[in-house]
């Protein structure tokens, strides 16, 4: 692929982002960065959240994973619908009733200081690791198809990446992110649809009906796995999907901050309903693309890469037309930035409100200056963490870090469940200890599960176990609410 064309496309894309940033930053108030002035149209938030939910990892991983686990991933997606219903009916009313900016402030009012700081800390830890890995993985693809050809070292390309994110978010914050996420989602979906149309044409498929029938007849299109020992068993996947959504959306400042920019609770719930339906369809489209990619590779006798994650990038940049390759580059760039920009804004919001308490301790001018310093600080931190992953350069270690990031949501699940479904108070000083013990015990059980539980393998449901352990620990250190 011509690197000059790629550079022109990416440059044009960022010029468009900066145009949106300028447009959304013209009329700012002290709260615009954190709340978007609570004026975001619900349909805009719903569409933009698609890109933020999928991220660059999903963009390149889900189609390739079809070769390993068929459509079993869709069982997880079906569970999402339950999780999003819980968020819309239980969590959003709570956040709007308390008029929260940082959702972790609920923990202080319910339990106390240490519970509050523990929840916010685990979010910051998890999001810093998770989002940095996502940017790192996508940056590797961009390095291969563009920056290597220009002789630009990896650290320079990553520095350019994080600086660009900082530049178009440091003024408008979440208000800018809501609009840029919409654009990024559009480009991501455009890349997938264009790829499907091209592959379908190459395979001689005519019309949507013929395409759907062909995909459904492939062995890859098997959705349900009823083997109870399997990591992809339906019940494990379905219930895990529900809880994953509750913690990684409903208890995540990054995702909830977008919802809290809606004008009122009714709009936020409407946004969640439509977002859920669109997300189910979009994931099905990604899986269908995966089937078509494997069919295309087989029909053209293309050797499959060792890592399934490399299948889509390989075909898009080396075998498809230049146009499709450029659209793919645009899509993967959008996928990477839709996750990184909102994460940077959410990390800044959480640290400013949950640790610096700028709404209580600073006047508006000093608060604005402090917010800019924190925003710049997290930009630098993300840059250093990404370089750290590059230095490690070990896929197994990176996967382990991703797993660790997932473990950190278990304590949040236990804390919020205990707060919402019991009336007990806890001995607040014990909460940080419990938040460390629950993931450690979960990890130990996952290592020994086959030996201790008759060959049973934990999958995503380990998150549920983690939350239950945290809940049990809180019960042990609780006392009746007087």
């Amino acid at each position: 692929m011509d690197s000059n064309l790629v550079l022109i496309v990416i440059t044009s894309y960022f010029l468009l982002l900066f145009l949106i940033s300028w447009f959304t930053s013209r009329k700012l108030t002290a709260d615009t960065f954190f709340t978007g002035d609570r004026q975001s149209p619900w349909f805009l938030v719903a569409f933009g959240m698609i890109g933020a939910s999928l991220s660059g990892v999903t963009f390149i991983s889900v189609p390739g994973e079809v070769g390993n686990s068929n459509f079993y991933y869709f069982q997880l997606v079906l569970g999402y619908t339950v999780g999003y219903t819980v968020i819309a009916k239980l969590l959003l009313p709570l956040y709007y009733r308390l008029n929260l900016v940082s959702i972790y402030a609920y923990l202080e009012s319910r339990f106390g200081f240490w519970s509050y700081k523990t929840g916010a800390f685990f979010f910051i830890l998890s999001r810093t690791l998770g989002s940095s890995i996502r940017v790192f993985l996508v940056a590797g693809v961009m390095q291969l198809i563009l920056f290597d050809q220009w002789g630009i070292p990896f650290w320079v390309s990553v520095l350019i990446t994080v600086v660009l994110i900082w530049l178009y978010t440091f003024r408008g914050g979440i208000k800018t992110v809501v609009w840029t996420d919409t654009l990024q989602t559009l480009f991501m979906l455009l890349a997938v649809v264009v790829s499907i149309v091209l592959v379908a044409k190459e395979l001689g498929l005519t019309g949507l009906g013929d395409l759907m029938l062909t995909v459904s007849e492939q062995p890859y299109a098997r959705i349900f796995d009823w083997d109870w020992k399997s990591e992809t068993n339906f019940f494990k996947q379905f219930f895990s999907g529900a809880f994953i959504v509750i913690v990684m959306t409903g208890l995540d400042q990054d995702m909830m901050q977008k919802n809290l920019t809606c004008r009122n609770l009714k709009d936020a719930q409407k946004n969640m309903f439509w977002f859920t339906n669109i997300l189910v369809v979009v994931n099905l489209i990604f899986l269908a693309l995966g089937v078509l990619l494997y069919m295309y590779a087989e029909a053209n006798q293309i050797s499959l890469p060792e890592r399934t994650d490399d299948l889509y990038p390989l075909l898009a940049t080396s075998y498809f037309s230049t146009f499709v390759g450029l659209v793919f580059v645009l899509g993967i760039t959008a996928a990477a930035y839709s996750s990184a920009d909102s994460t940077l804004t959410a990390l800044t919001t959480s640290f400013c409100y949950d640790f610096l308490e700028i709404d209580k301790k600073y006047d508006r001018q000093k608060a604005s200056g402090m917010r800019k310093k924190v925003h710049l600080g997290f930009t630098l931190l993300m840059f250093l963490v990404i370089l750290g992953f590059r230095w490690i350069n070990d896929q197994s270690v990176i996967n382990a870090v991703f797993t660790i990031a997932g473990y950190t949501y278990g304590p949040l699940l236990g804390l919020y469940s205990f707060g919402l479904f019991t009336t007990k108070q806890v001995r607040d000083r014990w909460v940080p200890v419990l938040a460390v013990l629950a993931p450690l015990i979960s990890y130990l059980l996952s290592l020994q599960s086959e030996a201790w539980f008759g060959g049973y393998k934990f999958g995503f449901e380990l998150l549920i176990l983690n939350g239950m352990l945290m809940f049990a620990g809180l019960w042990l250190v609780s006392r009746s609410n007087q």
Side-chain angles (χ1 to χ4, degrees), residues 70-123:
N70 305 315
F71 270 30
Y72 294 155
Y73 177 74
F74 196 65
Q75 299 173 125
L76 205 69
V77 176
L78 293 175
Y80 289 173
T81 59
V82 176
Y84 287 127
T85 301
V86 172
I87 293 170
K89 297 295 185 180
L90 182 64
L91 293 176
L92 281 177
L94 172 68
Y95 299 153
Y96 269 88
R97 176 169 56 83
L98 298 177
N99 195 30
L100 300 180
V101 175
S102 168
I103 63 173
Y104 308 112
Y106 161 74
L107 297 175
E108 183 175 36
S109 62
R110 180 63 178 85
F111 297 123
F113 175 85
W114 289 108
S115 299
Y116 174 34
K117 303 305 179 185
T118 299
F121 170 78
F122 271 81
F123 161 72

Side-chain angles (χ1 to χ4, degrees), residues 132-318:
S132 296
I133 296 172
R134 291 181 179 94
V135 176
F136 166 75
L137 294 176
V138 176
V141 177
M142 296 300 296
Q143 186 72 25
L144 180 65
I145 63 179
L146 176 63
F147 295 114
D148 279 345
Q149 300 181 44
W150 287 79
I152 298 175
F154 182 79
W155 72 270
V156 175
S157 65
V158 172
L159 180 62
I160 293 171
T161 296
V162 296
V163 167
L164 287 173
I165 295 173
W166 177 80
L167 284 173
Y168 74 77
T169 59
F170 86 99
R171 279 177 55 80
I174 194 64
K175 184 177 182 180
T176 298
V177 166
V178 166
W179 284 88
T180 55
D181 274 1
T182 303
L183 179 71
Q184 290 158 341
T185 299
L186 177 64
F187 284 134
M188 189 190 308
L189 298 183
L190 178 64
V192 175
V193 171
V194 167
S195 298
I196 288 177
V197 171
L198 169 78
V199 176
K201 184 178 179 181
E202 291 285 332
L203 296 174
L205 303 178
T206 58
L208 181 61
D210 190 20
L211 173 64
M212 294 173 63
L213 180 62
T214 301
V215 169
S216 65
E217 291 176 343
Q218 298 299 310
Y220 293 122
R222 194 163 50 245
I223 294 178
F224 300 107
D225 179 6
W226 303 108
D227 180 6
W228 74 274
K229 291 184 178 180
S230 172
E231 293 181 359
T232 56
N233 171 266
F234 169 77
F235 295 103
K236 293 182 185 180
Q237 295 282 89
F238 182 83
F239 289 109
S240 297
F243 280 93
I244 285 172
V245 158
I246 291 171
V247 298
M248 298 189 73
T249 299
L251 306 183
D252 184 279
Q253 176 67 27
D254 185 0
M255 299 300 291
M256 282 294 97
Q257 194 166 352
K258 299 181 183 71
N259 284 272
L260 295 177
T261 65
C262 292
R263 293 183 175 92
N264 50 54
L265 172 61
K266 184 177 180 181
D267 275 5
Q269 290 176 319
K270 196 183 300 182
N271 147 60
M272 189 59 64
F273 171 77
W274 283 103
F275 160 70
T276 303
N277 286 278
I278 297 171
L279 187 65
V280 170
V281 175
V282 167
N283 274 285
L284 198 56
I285 292 173
F286 268 92
L287 291 167
L289 172 63
V291 174
L292 294 174
L293 291 177
Y294 279 99
M295 291 175 63
Y296 180 89
E298 182 179 352
N300 291 276
Q301 298 182 333
I302 299 172
S303 298
L304 297 177
E306 291 184 9
R307 296 175 63 250
T308 58
D309 285 0
D310 296 333
L311 177 64
Y312 189 19
L314 172 68
L315 297 181
T317 59
S318 301

Side-chain angles (χ1 to χ4, degrees), residues 396-416:
S396 61
V397 174
I398 294 170
N399 289 336
V401 175
F402 237 145
T403 302
I404 291 170
Y407 275 113
T408 57
Y409 282 101
L412 286 172
L413 176 61
L415 274 168
Y416 275 83

